[in-house]
Amino acid sequence: SRPQSAGRTKSSCYQRLRAQQPIRKLLLSPMKRTVGEYQKGFPMRKRRLPTCPDIGYLKREAKELLGEYRREKRDAVADFGTFHPIGVKPREASLSDAQLVLARSYQFASWARLKLAAELCRAIYESDTATVISLAERHPELVDEPVRGADTGASWGTPVACARFFGRNEIVDRLVEFIGKDADEVIKQA
């Protein structure tokens, strides 16, 4: 650093700004959209699936989470501490660990279940009746579970409720037919 002219010291304003750098960086840095509470001083991030989720994006998000955890970034450490069932050290974490943590932060039990939900959400949003019915046939439990995960506060409910929300009447009719109950009863439960 260059010396101050006439023997002056740095201004107190400059010293205050330097002292506030970490706070300013924290306040001005971009944050991921999350909901949740705080645990041990760290935010517990509960993510929400977007309206039309992309599996490729979720895969990249898991890779980014793993990289951040290995670099011991605060949010990633908090996520692993909150959502990993047994805990794993940053240098020992694998992609499957990051995928599990990500799935649980989206309120799903596993990565496989998160991928199914993303595929189902996207199919409903895009009015892809064949994919919705195919998923329901291969995984009948999906028709009774919330599409966007448990306890998100923004769940559209079951696939029938989600399809009704988007006005996908053909999907609603086919799901009601698949479930095999009275249409009024299924829609009331949705």
Side-chain angles (χ1 to χ4, degrees):
S1 75
R2 72 176 213 225
Q4 297 288 313
S5 63
R8 290 183 291 221
T9 61
K10 293 186 178 188
S11 72
S12 59
C13 180
Y14 174 82
Q15 291 170 343
R16 276 189 308 228
L17 284 174
R18 289 296 285 167
Q20 292 175 351
Q21 279 292 46
I23 295 169
R24 286 184 28 220
K25 184 176 181 183
L26 177 66
L27 292 175
L28 299 177
S29 63
M31 304 272 299
K32 293 188 178 190
R33 197 176 99 202
T34 59
V35 296
E37 302 156 9
Y38 282 79
Q39 177 178 334
K40 299 179 189 172
F42 294 109
M44 289 176 32
R45 298 193 291 183
K46 289 184 185 177
R47 296 169 172 90
R48 292 183 180 155
L49 279 179
T51 303
C52 188
D54 176 41
I55 294 171
Y57 173 78
L58 294 172
K59 289 178 180 179
R60 288 187 301 277
E61 192 175 10
K63 288 177 185 176
E64 286 176 16
L65 178 63
L66 177 61
E68 289 176 1
Y69 185 57
R70 286 184 175 163
R71 290 188 304 276
E72 299 184 25
K73 298 283 185 170
R74 187 178 79 130
D75 288 343
V77 169
D79 283 346
F80 268 79
T82 303
F83 297 111
H84 199 282
I86 58 172
V88 62
K89 294 179 182 174
R91 298 286 174 223
E92 298 170 1
S94 66
L95 181 58
S96 62
D97 290 317
Q99 289 171 336
L100 176 63
V101 168
L102 187 66
R104 290 186 172 190
S105 71
Y106 275 110
Q107 305 303 302
F108 292 98
S110 67
W111 175 253
R113 182 60 186 87
L114 173 61
K115 283 176 44 179
L116 281 174
E119 190 176 352
L120 180 62
C121 260
R122 188 172 196 89
I124 291 170
Y125 182 78
E126 294 177 346
S127 297
D128 186 352
T129 306
T131 299
V132 172
I133 297 305
S134 173
L135 285 168
E137 288 171 345
R138 287 183 285 145
H139 306 279
E141 70 278 4
L142 289 178
V143 298
D144 296 322
E145 297 177 2
V147 174
R148 292 179 72 199
D151 190 36
T152 63
S155 177
W156 295 319
T158 64
V160 172
C162 182
R164 283 186 65 205
F165 176 81
F166 286 121
R168 309 303 193 245
N169 296 330
E170 181 184 350
I171 293 175
V172 171
D173 294 342
R174 293 288 308 276
L175 283 171
V176 167
E177 181 183 313
F178 174 80
I179 294 169
K181 294 182 184 174
D182 178 55
D184 291 335
E185 182 183 337
V186 171
I187 291 172
K188 186 192 296 184
Q189 289 176 348

